[in-house]
Amino acid sequence: MAVTLNQIFELKCLSELEDVSSVALYVGLLAIPLCLLQPVPQYYKLYKRGSAAGFSSMMLLIGNIGRALNVINLLILHYDQIQLCFSGPGMMIKCQPSLLVLYSGLTGCLSLFPLYVVVSLMNSRRSSRAPGTPGASNHRRLWIGLFCQFLIIGLVG
């Protein structure tokens, strides 16, 4: 028996807004910029070295898919709370603390996604310069990997 999208979103997991303490609110607000800044040292290191030697594109591909699926899961779990944001005047502001975990997950997912592209492009450039290794096949793998990520995320989402 197939599960419909309506059945998935009718879980009623988090159907009310949470009363968030000040400490939890500040922790959630701090998590968002930290998730955004997390990959900055890695991007800088790649830029400075000019090489992605030792990085696994496959590990990044799997990580991107996992993070995207986590965001989709958070959307499903918080679906009722998201609907409450649009239920009346002033609700958009009132519901934001309940959605901080969703925002930090989304920020982390979006900030790390480009790392796959950067590492894959750097690795394909490195391979094309190495004797006997065709860079075109690595470049093709990059696009196949991107397609697979979008396909899997699209099918599940």
Side-chain angles (χ1 to χ4, degrees):
M1 181 166 158
V3 176
T4 66
L5 199 56
N6 284 339
Q7 289 172 321
I8 291 172
F9 284 108
E10 290 177 0
L11 293 175
K12 303 289 181 205
C13 290
L14 297 167
S15 56
E16 297 176 10
L17 297 179
E18 301 296 320
D19 286 328
V20 179
S21 71
S22 296
V23 173
L25 179 65
Y26 292 128
V27 168
L29 289 171
L30 181 62
I32 294 169
L34 288 177
C35 287
L36 182 64
L37 294 172
Q38 175 190 358
V40 170
Q42 194 58 63
Y43 286 118
Y44 178 73
K45 186 175 182 180
L46 289 169
Y47 171 77
K48 192 173 176 183
R49 283 182 23 193
S51 169
F55 279 92
S56 168
S57 296
M58 184 59 71
M59 184 266 316
L60 293 171
L61 181 139
I62 293 168
N64 283 346
I65 292 171
R67 281 185 292 280
L69 294 177
N70 183 46
V71 170
I72 292 168
N73 185 48
L74 288 169
L75 281 170
I76 291 168
L77 292 175
H78 289 274
Y79 181 73
D80 291 324
Q81 290 178 334
I82 293 168
Q83 285 185 316
L84 288 174
C85 292
F86 301 99
S87 66
M91 288 303 292
M92 184 60 76
I93 299 295
K94 189 176 180 183
C95 73
Q96 297 309 306
S98 295
L99 301 178
L100 287 174
V101 69
L102 173 63
Y103 298 148
S104 64
L106 183 61
T107 304
C109 180
L110 294 175
S111 68
L112 286 165
F113 182 80
L115 190 59
Y116 169 78
V117 176
V118 170
V119 167
S120 296
L121 285 173
M122 291 178 101
N123 282 340
S124 71
R125 226 179 306 135
R126 181 176 51 101
S127 295
S128 66
R129 286 188 242 137
T133 56
S137 68
N138 282 336
H139 202 69
R140 194 173 322 116
R141 275 190 268 170
L142 162 68
W143 292 109
I144 291 170
L146 282 172
F147 175 76
C148 288
Q149 288 178 65
F150 288 123
L151 179 68
I152 291 170
I153 293 164
L155 288 174
V156 173

